[in-house]
Amino acid sequence: MIPYIEQLMLEKLSGCISDEDDAQLRQLLETVPELSEIYKGMQEQLSQPISQAYLSKLDEGVLWEENKHRFIPRKFKWWYAAASILLILGLGGSLFYYKQPSKKQLANNPTGIVLQLANGQQIDLSDTTQSMMKVGSAQLHVSSKSLQYNAANATADMPMNVLRVPAGKDYKLVLADGTEVWMNAKSEIRFPMAFNGKTREVTVSGEAYFSVKQDPTRPFIVHAGDVSVDVLGTAFNINTYSSVNPRIALASGKVVLKSKNSAQVVQLSPGYEAVYNQQFFSIDAFDKRNTLGWMEGKYYFRNATLKDLGDVINRWFDIDVVFENSAVSRIDLTGILTKQDGLNDFLDNLGKTTGIKHELKDGVLTFR
């Protein structure tokens, strides 16, 4: 963040911003959504009891010595509040929004992306040296990041395959009809080599984003537990990490939602998300960045619990996450976790900005 804008935000948070600067900051927040998100996150995190408790323990003299090099105060009475906030928020005053960490950390002992054929044969796609392989009548184009089916001469009765994406990985699948499926970590999809019937049907668990090839004569149906999603030409995200509350977010097109346990039929509009609670669907608008950020390797979280964050860390980095007490797991957080930047710096920043302690050892992350 630009230091001057950071300073305006800190003055606003400390309650000693001038009318002129306040007007300028308001204009910036109204015209630049990213800055508005950062400022809201700063407000929310600073209001947390753990931040307030940490602030109350800080020594004014130590704060000044440690932070005076970071800015030149324009109001003498402002420096203590700003320095305190800087120490709590850390790394450029942008709360939990850290950028360009220096260290990298990959997933611990990642397992391979596996394609299981109908005959039980398993093919590890993670490090395959083949760019093309033939399975029955289907031609497979393979890379470490994607798999594409071509089954132009497929027979009418095609067996089902299973593609499993483990923790620490993501993968793209292109089905025989041209439908594209982006799969998040710890996800699975069952699909045929070709679609030859009146419908095109697959089954998914975990999280996946579908861009469905339009074919009005053959509806595309996604099964996820007790829920089914009927589509024509549509782009949508389905998240079943919580098996009791699957979520379907529609980016474009139209889908019809049904469930085995309810007579309710829901037609979803773009920009809206349906959450199923085992009895009925509830509908609400969704934040595209928060819901689809995983496709860019980013997890945006606002007022998420540390337990929620731990679940993502487990999936993305293949690390077991434990909490020494339930109170720690319920702490609310706001920020961004970037997958490609790794975990070490993120955890260090978490400790600096919230006071939450952690230990990462032998593939187990413990929060205290």
Side-chain angles (χ1 to χ4, degrees):
M1 194 193 317
I2 299 172
Y4 176 65
I5 299 177
E6 173 185 334
Q7 183 170 322
L8 291 179
M9 289 184 179
L10 292 170
E11 288 187 2
K12 178 71 172 178
L13 289 170
S14 62
C16 56
I17 192 170
S18 68
D19 292 340
E20 179 182 353
D21 288 344
D22 192 24
Q24 183 179 4
L25 179 60
R26 283 202 309 271
Q27 183 178 9
L28 285 169
L29 297 181
E30 290 172 358
T31 56
V32 184
E34 291 81 4
L35 291 178
S36 179
E37 287 297 312
I38 289 176
Y39 183 71
K40 289 177 182 177
M42 293 169 73
Q43 287 180 306
E44 292 168 358
Q45 189 65 19
L46 192 60
S47 66
Q48 295 296 319
I50 190 170
S51 296
Q52 293 295 317
Y54 186 52
L55 178 59
S56 67
K57 297 177 182 178
L58 297 177
D59 180 82
E60 179 173 340
V62 173
L63 280 170
W64 174 245
E65 289 302 318
E66 291 184 351
N67 291 281
K68 62 184 180 181
H69 65 284
R70 301 186 65 171
F71 53 84
I72 300 175
R74 292 181 295 162
K75 299 181 180 68
F76 180 76
K77 67 179 182 179
W78 169 70
W79 70 260
Y80 173 61
S84 301
I85 295 169
L86 275 171
L87 187 57
I88 290 178
L89 301 182
L91 299 180
S94 54
L95 179 69
F96 224 9
Y97 298 80
Y98 69 102
K99 298 181 180 180
Q100 299 178 350
S102 57
K103 294 177 284 185
K104 304 290 182 182
Q105 177 174 332
L106 300 178
N108 288 354
N109 303 318
T111 54
I113 297 167
V114 174
L115 173 65
Q116 180 175 313
L117 304 178
N119 62 6
Q121 178 186 358
Q122 295 191 2
I123 303 172
D124 188 341
L125 303 176
S126 301
D127 55 2
T128 180
T129 58
Q130 302 182 60
S131 60
M132 188 174 297
M133 62 180 68
K134 192 173 180 63
V135 177
S137 59
Q139 195 82 22
L140 277 60
H141 301 268
V142 185
S143 76
S144 61
K145 295 296 292 181
S146 67
L147 170 65
Q148 181 172 352
Y149 267 72
N150 184 352
N153 299 318
T155 58
D157 185 19
M158 296 300 296
M160 300 293 284
N161 305 308
V162 181
L163 179 64
R164 297 187 180 94
V165 181
K169 299 285 186 178
D170 55 75
Y171 204 68
K172 179 182 178 182
L173 169 66
V174 182
L175 299 171
D177 67 337
T179 291
E180 297 176 304
V181 187
W182 288 263
M183 300 181 65
N184 203 349
K186 297 185 77 170
S187 299
E188 177 179 307
I189 184 171
R190 297 176 60 86
F191 62 98
M193 290 186 183
F195 300 105
N196 294 303
K198 295 181 179 180
T199 60
R200 299 168 289 165
E201 301 190 36
V202 301
T203 301
V204 68
S205 62
E207 184 168 27
Y209 181 88
F210 286 81
S211 180
V212 177
K213 189 75 170 180
Q214 188 169 6
D215 185 350
T217 65
R218 295 186 302 164
F220 194 96
I221 302 174
V222 178
H223 301 282
D226 293 333
V227 173
S228 65
V229 185
D230 295 14
V231 307
L232 291 175
T234 297
F236 67 97
N237 192 78
I238 184 165
N239 183 332
T240 70
Y241 286 131
S242 172
S243 58
V244 295
N245 296 118
R247 314 175 76 94
I248 301 93
L250 183 60
S252 64
K254 180 178 68 175
V255 299
V256 175
L257 308 179
K258 304 174 185 177
S259 72
K260 296 178 181 178
N261 303 326
S262 171
Q264 183 186 19
V265 177
V266 173
Q267 181 173 309
L268 206 57
S269 299
Y272 285 84
E273 175 184 62
V275 180
Y276 183 62
N277 67 0
Q278 302 303 306
Q279 293 183 328
F280 58 86
F281 293 98
S282 59
I283 313 298
D284 202 354
F286 72 93
D287 186 313
K288 184 176 180 179
R289 188 182 68 170
N290 292 352
T291 301
L292 304 181
W294 69 267
M295 298 178 67
E296 299 177 349
K298 295 181 179 180
Y299 174 54
Y300 295 88
F301 50 99
R302 175 182 288 186
N303 294 329
T305 65
L306 188 57
K307 171 63 168 60
D308 295 332
L309 180 59
D311 290 341
V312 176
I313 290 173
N314 168 256
R315 291 193 294 266
W316 280 11
F317 299 98
D318 196 17
I319 289 173
D320 293 328
V321 179
V322 297
F323 304 90
E324 285 201 345
N325 61 76
S326 59
V328 173
S329 69
R330 294 193 298 268
I331 294 174
D332 289 336
L333 300 167
T334 296
I336 305 171
L337 170 61
T338 303
K339 190 176 184 180
Q340 69 177 18
D341 289 337
L343 190 58
N344 285 329
D345 284 278
F346 181 83
L347 293 173
D348 289 344
N349 294 339
L350 174 62
K352 292 176 182 177
T353 57
T354 67
I356 297 173
K357 297 180 180 179
H358 73 274
E359 180 183 27
L360 178 56
K361 184 178 181 181
D362 299 329
V364 178
L365 173 61
T366 303
F367 286 111
R368 298 186 173 89

